[in-house]
Amino acid sequence: MKSIVLGIGKAGITIVENLIKENHDVTVIDVDAKKIENLLNKYDIQGAVGTGAEHDVMESCGVAETDFFIACTSRDEFNILVCILAKKLGAKNTIARVRDPRYFREIENLKK
């Protein structure tokens, strides 16, 4: 399975490591080139530097062919926005890390 992880903090790294154990083809996206480089040197994965809100970055990572797009930056609103973009670009499944419970009331509207 092909997975893209946006945001390479503690949560993102943990997700990447677990996806690798499950034999996923993993691509990571982050604004910090050094974080990307460190992961590329440690694992057999692909990476792109960017915010994830950039159409060209998403296309270059193959979002249209991805099984799972996981946004786990520290910003709830951004994670939701980028998952909507990924879904519009063809990602089969999207997962947004959302920590603020206020957003859960609107989950059904966001899915539409």
Side-chain angles (χ1 to χ4, degrees), residues 4 27 40 52 57-58 64 78-79 89 92 98-99 104-105:
I4 298 174
T27 300
L40 293 178
V57 171
M58 296 287 265
F78 187 75
N79 291 340
L89 292 173
K92 291 178 186 74
V98 178
R99 295 174 290 176
F104 294 113
R105 289 182 291 221

Side-chain angles (χ1 to χ4, degrees), residues 5-12 15 29-31 35 51 70-80 82 96-100 103:
V5 178
L6 170 68
I8 307 303
K10 289 179 183 179
I15 291 168
I29 304 171
D30 199 279
V31 294
K35 286 182 180 181
T51 67
I70 305 166
C72 52
T73 73
S74 61
R75 301 173 300 176
D76 292 351
E77 298 88 350
F78 187 75
N79 291 340
I80 294 167
V82 176
R97 177 185 182 202
V98 178
R99 295 174 290 176
D100 189 335
Y103 294 112

Side-chain angles (χ1 to χ4, degrees), residues 2-98:
K2 181 175 171 55
S3 298
I4 298 174
V5 178
L6 170 68
I8 307 303
K10 289 179 183 179
I13 291 172
T14 300
I15 291 168
V16 167
E17 289 171 343
N18 283 299
L19 290 171
I20 290 169
K21 287 178 188 174
E22 296 292 324
N23 295 316
H24 283 243
D25 176 18
V26 178
T27 300
V28 293
I29 304 171
D30 199 279
V31 294
D32 188 336
K34 187 68 176 170
K35 286 182 180 181
I36 299 289
E37 183 181 341
N38 288 341
L39 281 178
L40 293 178
N41 289 332
K42 188 173 182 181
Y43 301 110
D44 183 21
I45 62 173
Q46 297 192 18
V49 177
T51 67
E54 300 137 324
H55 192 268
D56 60 331
V57 171
M58 296 287 265
E59 281 189 341
S60 73
C61 291
V63 72
E65 298 84 33
T66 196
D67 296 296
F68 295 99
F69 180 90
I70 305 166
C72 52
T73 73
S74 61
R75 301 173 300 176
D76 292 351
E77 298 88 350
F78 187 75
N79 291 340
I80 294 167
L81 174 72
V82 176
C83 280
I84 291 169
L85 175 61
K87 194 67 166 174
K88 293 282 186 191
L89 292 173
K92 291 178 186 74
N93 300 286
T94 60
I95 302 168
R97 177 185 182 202
V98 178

